[in-house]
Amino acid sequence: MISSMGLKPLGGLRTRASMASTMLRGGPGAAQKRFLSIHEYLSMDLLNKYGIATPRSIPAKSPEEAFKAAQSFGGKGMVIKAQVLAGGRGKGHFDSGLQGGVHLIKTPEEARDYASKMIGNKLITKQTGEAGRICNAVMLAEARPPAHEYYVALLNDRASQLPVLIASNQGGMSIEDVAAENPDAIITTPIDFEKGLEQSKALEIAKKLGFSSEKQEKQAADTFVKLYKLFKEKDATQVEINPMAESKDGEVLCMDAKLGFDDNAVEFRQPDIAELRDPTQEDADEVEAGKKGLNFIKLDGDIGCLVNGAGLAMATMDVVKLNGGNPANFLDIGGGADAEAMKLAFKLLLSAKPKALFVNVFGGIVSSGKVAESLVEAAKSIADDVNIDIVARLRGNQEADAKKVIEGFGSSSGVKIHPVFDLDEAAQLAVKLAAARG
Ligand code: GDP
Ligand code: MN
């Protein structure tokens, strides 16, 4: 139990970001779509705005702020929680050596001490990879010892094409394990999009989960209804509460929240949510690309792909895969493709140290000849530092010019550009050249 764990890291439920989506979408990484996630302390505010009960909490951005925040809890027990956009904080560790991103504390001095070991350091959890993620703030919350921990999530379910509420009375441990070992312990309830979650249905779910009395059942049902309201009104793609707890003093409280929003909807429908984005928690290269209007996604293969248009991006990745290769990343250069954009594109694509580049750009609005010129200019700019083969398929408007420009370049120092116009042949060559560099 938590109270007996003293100051040891609290190990609760691990993979916040992925566990619900893992169950519905078939594995982490299956979904390449990016969602806006917001920090726990901001999520708590949003829950409270919807009348959802949470332990009282205060964020702090420095050890001194943490000290002051802790004083306002009047000597009651607290938890200090690293604000890092990743699940599994409880079981994570800092590059400063501190174990655990969630700790039970009693005094303002402890708050200051922990904050100084968390803020400015990177938290490594099983969701962040070895690089970890910078912690720029902590959250202090009143410690409301849980008598029992539950799991609740709202997601869109592809199979039923409806929002679903997923609930389990076995929170506080990996929900994937529960799903695998004891699927009956997970209750999935489809929700009518228009009608929303009815109170009576919410109460049914609460009764199935089991609480100590009718009072908590009603509180839980009420929480489910409000969580769904938030989910729908804010264009969320994921609301995951783990744990939702019945505290020893008999209240139903959301003790952790992982909220994800539909990136596209947020941009124009949810300006207040868009403001909550924290770029320090995102991949720096992807953020830089986004600022320039380029869409850059990192993958884990060894062929860098430069394309224009989302459809061509998907087709390019498919054809690389069909030919036995694996994309290292893809960058959608969009409509521009001038030399500056091309240079930035190269910089980003090469950051993954791919073994070959596959440029598959269609000349529609922009002419292929122009794209070829930008490509050659960017290639020249990297030729002295990089050793790489580039397969260039520049079809479309003025493609003959494009071919001439590229043949004119041929190779320079470490860079060789191969113009290939047939899609399959181009992909095959990219795969072959990457493999040759083993
Ligand atoms: P995660 O590891 O990133 O999912 O972080 P959590 O916020 O879920 O914290 C890990 C564990 O710490 C939870 O499963 C709870 O057992 C415990 N915990 C989290 N928040 C509180 C709180 O406000 N009060 C108490 N007493 N325990 C908490
Ligand atoms: Mn959690």
Side-chain angles (χ1 to χ4, degrees):
M1 229 24 256
I2 296 195
S3 45
S4 66
M5 293 178 76
L7 293 175
K8 286 210 300 286
L10 302 178
L13 253 202
R14 285 155 295 260
T15 56
R16 297 201 317 168
S18 69
M19 70 184 112
S21 38
T22 300
M23 288 193 294
L24 288 182
R25 297 195 195 111
Q32 286 305 341
K33 221 168 153 181
R34 291 159 68 214
F35 299 119
L36 169 64
S37 296
I38 62 170
H39 282 296
E40 182 186 28
Y41 72 93
L42 298 167
S43 301
M44 293 287 150
D45 282 350
L46 194 56
L47 294 183
N48 295 157
K49 282 193 187 121
Y50 274 81
I52 300 162
T54 66
R56 188 165 82 82
S57 65
I58 307 176
K61 301 208 164 140
S62 68
E64 227 27 61
E65 269 183 46
F67 179 85
K68 289 208 181 94
Q71 280 180 323
S72 78
F73 286 92
K76 292 204 192 98
M78 295 163 273
V79 276
I80 183 164
K81 307 173 83 173
Q83 298 301 286
V84 168
L85 285 181
R89 293 169 304 165
K91 290 218 159 174
H93 66 276
F94 282 88
D95 59 357
S96 62
L98 177 67
Q99 286 297 313
V102 179
H103 291 264
L104 270 177
I105 55 167
K106 293 201 174 71
T107 66
E109 286 76 16
E110 276 177 294
R112 178 163 55 204
D113 186 40
Y114 273 114
S116 72
K117 291 180 177 133
M118 292 178 170
I119 295 172
N121 294 300
K122 285 183 174 162
L123 180 67
I124 297 134
T125 81
K126 70 179 201 182
Q127 284 188 9
T128 63
E130 270 313 301
R133 204 159 285 167
I134 188 75
C135 174
N136 291 319
V138 296
M139 184 181 94
L140 286 138
E142 53 179 350
R144 299 284 290 269
H148 191 85
E149 296 187 346
Y150 302 82
Y151 174 90
V152 189
L154 284 153
L155 293 165
N156 289 313
D157 175 28
R158 183 168 294 187
S160 60
Q161 300 194 6
L162 287 172
V164 289
L165 186 137
I166 297 172
S168 174
N169 71 359
Q170 298 189 24
M173 51 193 275
S174 166
I175 201 76
E176 298 102 317
D177 296 347
V178 178
E181 287 157 25
N182 191 6
D184 292 346
I186 291 179
I187 305 166
T188 303
T189 311
I191 298 170
D192 184 298
F193 188 73
E194 292 306 326
K195 277 195 244 158
L197 180 61
E198 290 152 335
Q199 199 78 35
S200 57
K201 201 175 236 177
L203 199 55
E204 243 173 68
I205 301 166
K207 282 187 194 296
K208 278 191 210 158
L209 293 178
F211 287 85
S212 53
S213 80
E214 238 174 66
K215 174 191 148 193
Q216 287 85 9
E217 275 171 13
K218 285 207 179 106
Q219 280 183 353
D222 191 47
T223 302
F224 300 156
V225 170
K226 288 172 175 164
L227 285 173
Y228 179 70
K229 194 164 185 282
L230 184 161
F231 177 83
K232 185 177 176 189
E233 288 180 4
K234 294 293 177 193
D235 289 311
T237 49
Q238 172 179 287
V239 169
E240 187 178 66
I241 308 297
N242 191 17
M244 180 181 91
E246 180 179 329
S247 62
K248 283 186 179 158
D249 52 5
E251 299 296 323
V252 174
L253 299 168
C254 295
M255 292 198 167
D256 179 19
K258 169 74 189 162
L259 305 188
F261 301 88
D262 181 333
D263 242 352
N264 294 315
V266 159
E267 262 169 38
F268 70 103
R269 291 180 13 142
Q270 310 287 356
D272 51 334
I273 301 285
E275 269 182 26
L276 306 181
R277 183 185 284 277
D278 178 359
T280 70
Q281 301 291 300
E282 296 175 13
D283 183 273
D285 290 335
E286 294 184 4
V287 171
E288 186 181 358
K291 279 191 197 145
K292 302 268 160 58
L294 307 174
N295 194 7
F296 177 56
I297 303 289
K298 290 186 176 176
L299 301 164
D300 50 17
D302 57 10
I303 299 176
C305 300
L306 196 160
V307 299
N308 62 346
L312 198 52
M314 295 302 133
T316 304
M317 293 202 291
D318 281 352
V319 74
V320 166
K321 287 230 169 210
L322 280 172
N323 283 287
N326 267 312
N329 44 34
F330 77 82
L331 187 137
D332 178 356
I333 199 158
D338 60 24
E340 283 318 299
M342 196 65 85
K343 281 181 194 166
L344 175 59
F346 270 29
K347 184 187 141 207
L348 295 169
L349 290 167
L350 292 169
S351 66
K353 305 215 180 320
K355 300 212 172 93
L357 290 184
F358 184 11
V359 178
N360 190 13
V361 172
F362 179 73
I365 299 164
V366 56
S367 85
S368 297
K370 279 264 174 321
V371 176
E373 281 166 21
S374 307
L375 183 61
V376 163
E377 204 176 319
K380 279 184 188 152
S381 75
I382 58 161
D384 291 337
D385 307 317
V386 184
N387 214 314
I388 197 145
D389 284 289
I390 303 173
V391 177
R393 177 177 181 268
L394 303 177
R395 298 299 303 265
N397 184 0
Q398 293 182 14
E399 58 184 41
D401 291 352
K403 198 164 182 187
K404 264 189 229 145
V405 171
I406 287 172
E407 281 168 355
F409 173 83
S411 64
S412 164
S413 302
V415 177
K416 184 163 169 48
I417 313 185
H418 311 256
V420 183
F421 276 18
D422 179 81
L423 180 57
D424 254 317
E425 270 176 37
Q428 273 163 25
L429 182 61
V431 172
K432 199 177 110 192
L433 291 168
R437 286 175 189 259

